[in-house]
Amino acid sequence: QEQLVESGGGLVQPGGSLRLSCKAQRMIFSTFIGTTMAWYRQASGKQRELVAEILSGGVANYADSVKGRFAISRDNSRKTVYLQINDPKPEDTAVYYCNSRNAGSEYWGKGTLVTVAS
């Protein structure tokens, strides 16, 4: 059973910046490099939605609502994926979840809360 551990959430002011991290604790390196990693979020009273994903080759896809403000990246040597949040808005407030997908196996982290408020 994979364990994805998120960190970096907290309170951020509108227009500020924040970086989330997610480390795959148990995944071996050779598996990680072939795994699609993603960030989802779930705001209170809303469904979970895809924020960004990064494929094994480094191609990244973003939700329209975060394009140009968020950036997803991965460090395969650290088995870690990052989400750089720039110019956050109050509507970005949510619990952010890390997700991994590889050959039919999918895992979720427990989530980290990001609150955007002045």
Side-chain angles (χ1 to χ4, degrees):
Q1 185 78 10
E2 179 53 60
Q3 185 178 13
L4 302 177
V5 180
E6 303 103 333
S7 61
L11 176 65
V12 60
Q13 292 187 344
S17 64
L18 196 68
R19 190 176 78 160
L20 307 182
S21 300
C22 169
K23 184 175 177 63
Q25 299 277 34
R26 300 183 179 141
M27 199 179 297
I28 62 174
F29 173 76
S30 59
T31 297
F32 184 83
I33 60 175
T35 296
T36 294
M37 301 297 297
W39 288 96
Y40 285 73
R41 68 185 180 188
Q42 187 167 19
S44 180
K46 295 188 176 181
Q47 289 188 331
R48 191 173 297 189
E49 62 175 358
L50 176 66
V51 175
E53 65 178 5
I54 185 164
L55 310 184
S56 58
V59 173
N61 299 304
Y62 298 92
D64 288 343
S65 60
V66 306
K67 279 181 182 176
R69 299 188 298 119
F70 291 15
I72 189 171
S73 61
R74 62 193 296 160
D75 183 338
N76 291 332
S77 67
R78 290 184 165 85
K79 298 184 297 178
T80 298
V81 62
Y82 303 98
L83 185 69
Q84 179 68 39
I85 299 175
N86 297 320
D87 188 25
K89 305 179 187 305
E91 53 264 38
D92 295 320
T93 295
V95 177
Y96 284 71
Y97 296 91
C98 183
N99 171 273
S100 70
R101 300 193 305 275
N102 186 330
S105 294
E106 183 174 31
Y107 300 100
W108 292 90
K110 292 182 178 180
T112 186
L113 176 63
V114 173
T115 302
V116 184
S118 55

